[in-house]
């Protein structure tokens, strides 16, 4: 078997811990830092695969394991030849294990219960009890056929304190050992190509637990390292603190992934400075369809970059009455299809009238901004934009 996955740092940035990596997969290569739009249900909301590419997408998170098990089901995905074929995406893809859904669903014990054997939950349509554990999660991800797959984990809740963090971490480690054993026996997708397996560092907001979880994952010599838990991406000060605890010890040549991070363009800038390579978040698409559009300036500060904006949290609220006659684009200097062709006034009109054209144009813009921030970071790190071409 030829291993079709590799990752290599091609340039490090001395003022901070930022770096550019070249990652090769069975569906092509991508350069980091890279934002991954989220296609939870086998599509990224309001965008076609070609629009994703045009907006700058190199890799996506495609097909959440929990949702794909619920619908359309693994039989249909396998018959289609995998998620790439099913959703018409021919570039690299990462999928998740369903661990976050285990956390969110388990808050209602009538819907989902967690025990040592995994999560038992009711199908949202049929009511049938489904069992999501290491075996079913890894098995489903092999049928999904993503280039990067995640070990099944229990996402650490922030509200549970140390006892809950220890329990989630230790269970995650036990499930990880099972995932590694399964991966060693068969590291290929259902379609014959190699899948990279990442482990997920848990441990909540406790430095010793995070370090213990990290070491457990490093000892298994996996293809990459994800940093999970409810705080990551939702609490940025805590996220950056956790990265400070871990950063110096993470393997240099392996991808570092902060899960569920990317509510704001500045979030990407902040974690890349801590050595993170990839990230995903539903916020850019969700914000877009609810009328919250990124607007600002990517400013070179000398040592690094930042996202400056005249709007609160860097987001323009397109429903605001002042935009009804504003003929400027969403973001001055933006080269996305939306900004080059349509005004704030037009988007205000579409949004207020709830017209179906609006979410497509809005999502194109928000996704483009996230990718543009990554592109500027790559250029800043490397110092030669020609090396950063996608």
């Amino acid at each position: 078997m030829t291993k079709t996955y590799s990752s290599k740092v091609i340039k490090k940035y001395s003022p901070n811990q930022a770096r550019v990596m070249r990652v090769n997969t069975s569906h092509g290569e991508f350069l980091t830092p890279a934002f991954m739009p989220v296609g939870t249900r086998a599509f990224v909301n309001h965008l076609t695969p070609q629009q994703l590419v045009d907006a700058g997408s190199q890799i996506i998170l495609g097909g959440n394991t929990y949702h794909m098990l619920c619908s359309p089901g693994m039989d249909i995905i396998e018959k289609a030849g995998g998620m790439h074929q099913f959703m018409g995406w021919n570039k690299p893809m990462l999928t998740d294990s369903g661990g976050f859904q285990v956390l969110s669903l388990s808050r209602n014990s009538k819907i989902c219960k967690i025990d040592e054997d995994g999560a038992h939950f009711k199908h949202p349509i049929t009511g049938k009890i489904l069992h999501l554990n290491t075996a079913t999660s890894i098995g489903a991800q092999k049928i999904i056929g993503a280039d990067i797959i995640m070990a099944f984990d229990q996402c650490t809740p922030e509200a549970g304190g140390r006892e809950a963090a220890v329990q989630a971490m230790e269970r995650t480690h036990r499930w990880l050992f099972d995932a590694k054993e399964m991966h060693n026996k068969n590291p290929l997708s259902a379609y014959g190509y190699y899948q990279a397996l990442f482990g997920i560092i848990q441990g909540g907001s406790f430095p010793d637990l995070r370090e213990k979880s990290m070491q457990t994952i490093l000892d298994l010599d996996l293809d990459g390292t994800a940093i999970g838990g409810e705080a990551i991406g939702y609490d940025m000060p805590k996220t950056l603190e956790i990265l400070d605890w871990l950063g110096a010890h993470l393997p240099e040549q392996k991808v570092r992934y902060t899960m569920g991070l990317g509510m704001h363009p500045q979030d990407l800038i902040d974690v890349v400075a801590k050595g993170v390579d990839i990230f995903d978040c539903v916020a850019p698409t969700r914000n877009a369809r609810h009328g919250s559009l990124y607007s600002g300036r990517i400013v070179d500060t000398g040592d690094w970059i930042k996202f400056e904006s005249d709007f609160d949290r860097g987001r323009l609220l397109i429903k605001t009455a002042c935009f009804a006659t504003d003929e400027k684009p969403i973001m001055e200097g933006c080269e996305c299809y939306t900004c080059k062709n349509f005004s704030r006034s037009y988007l205000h009109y579409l949004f207020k009238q709830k017209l179906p054209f609006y979410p497509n144009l809005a999502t194109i813009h928000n996704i483009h901004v996230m990718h543009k921030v990554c592109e500027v970071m790559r250029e800043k790190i490397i110092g030669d934009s020609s090396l950063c071409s996608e």
Side-chain angles (χ1 to χ4, degrees), residues 222-241:
L222 302 170
D223 294 299
T225 308
I227 303 164
E230 191 175 23
I232 301 299
Y234 288 88
D235 182 339
M236 282 305 298
K238 180 58 68 176
T239 297
L240 297 176
E241 186 178 9

Side-chain angles (χ1 to χ4, degrees), residues 33 265-266 268-269 298 305 307 331 368-378:
Q266 186 63 44
L268 310 187
I269 296 167
I298 304 171
I305 67 169
F307 190 84
M331 179 166 147
H368 173 87
V369 171
M370 301 302 266
H371 291 321
K372 183 64 178 179
V373 166
C374 290
E375 178 187 334
V376 172
M377 286 192 286
R378 292 193 296 268

Side-chain angles (χ1 to χ4, degrees), residues 7-9 19-23 30-32 253-254 277:
S7 57
K8 181 181 180 181
V9 175
R19 73 258 193 88
V20 170
M21 299 193 84
R22 178 173 283 113
V23 183
F30 64 92
L31 294 176
T32 72
Q253 297 298 333
K254 293 185 178 181
D277 304 302

